[in-house]
Amino acid sequence: LQPDAWHYIIVYESGDLAASAASLADGQVTGGSELPAHSVRPKANFHFVIDSARSGRHTMDGQLEVGTSWLRQASGAPYVGWPDSRYYPHPPYTDAVGVCLIGDLNRAPVSEAQHRTLVQLVRELQRDLNVPKSHVLFQWELGPNATHASNAEVAYAANFRRSLD
């Protein structure tokens, strides 16, 4: 663990209701997304992925998967240059732990199991890495999407932050 390397935690949503760490790393859309099943998207090796009940037959709802980028203490996705370098060349992206929730809040809420896992993981990362609550961010609060968060995303972020208190 390199605690001085990480100053932010960014929470993402996969946009694919049935994704997993493997499908994200392979750049495959597995289904339940606005994109056709088995479409290709940018490959994403997140530090942590929190599975949904739909993620696969060998996963449980709320199961935490640890990515190889975390094991190597390397930049995860999105990283500098992913997928559009205009938005990702500076902090918080370059020194953030990336946590991906499998799902799409605009189509289905985060499950209670996923929420519990996310809260526990973020609390542990905050403690171990000395990351303040103000540096725990959601993907839709950054870059070009900062002003386009849906009501579901805004509501979930507020609920999540209350859970950290």
Side-chain angles (χ1 to χ4, degrees):
L1 179 65
Q2 299 173 0
D4 293 336
W6 311 109
H7 299 106
Y8 293 87
I9 299 167
I10 302 176
V11 179
Y12 301 86
E13 57 183 328
S14 68
D16 183 344
L17 298 175
S20 66
S23 69
L24 293 169
D26 288 342
Q28 298 296 312
V29 176
T30 60
S33 174
E34 293 175 4
L35 297 172
H38 305 293
S39 295
V40 177
R41 63 174 158 210
K43 294 180 179 187
N45 185 7
F46 290 95
H47 293 108
F48 299 96
V49 173
I50 300 174
D51 292 322
S52 78
R54 301 179 195 178
S55 291
R57 33 177 228 198
H58 300 294
T59 59
M60 293 176 24
D61 192 28
Q63 179 177 323
L64 180 66
E65 294 190 69
V66 179
T68 56
S69 57
W70 182 251
L71 297 174
R72 292 186 318 237
Q73 292 290 286
S75 292
Y79 48 85
V80 177
W82 181 97
D84 185 338
S85 62
R86 291 177 297 166
Y87 303 115
Y88 302 99
H90 53 80
Y93 294 106
T94 56
D95 58 355
V97 176
V99 179
C100 184
L101 280 169
I102 299 302
D104 182 339
L105 287 165
N106 293 314
R107 291 183 289 144
V110 170
S111 73
E112 185 59 36
Q114 287 179 297
H115 179 76
R116 281 192 311 269
T117 300
L118 179 62
V119 169
Q120 179 182 352
L121 174 63
V122 169
R123 283 180 180 160
E124 289 177 17
L125 289 170
Q126 283 183 280
R127 182 192 68 231
D128 294 348
L129 304 174
N130 197 30
V131 174
K133 185 177 174 182
S134 63
H135 284 205
V136 177
L137 307 168
F138 286 85
Q139 72 183 52
W140 53 81
E141 297 172 327
L142 300 166
N145 297 323
T147 59
H148 301 294
S150 70
N151 290 339
E153 292 166 335
V154 170
Y156 182 72
N159 179 51
F160 173 77
R161 288 189 171 104
R162 283 190 298 275
S163 297
L164 288 181
D165 292 334

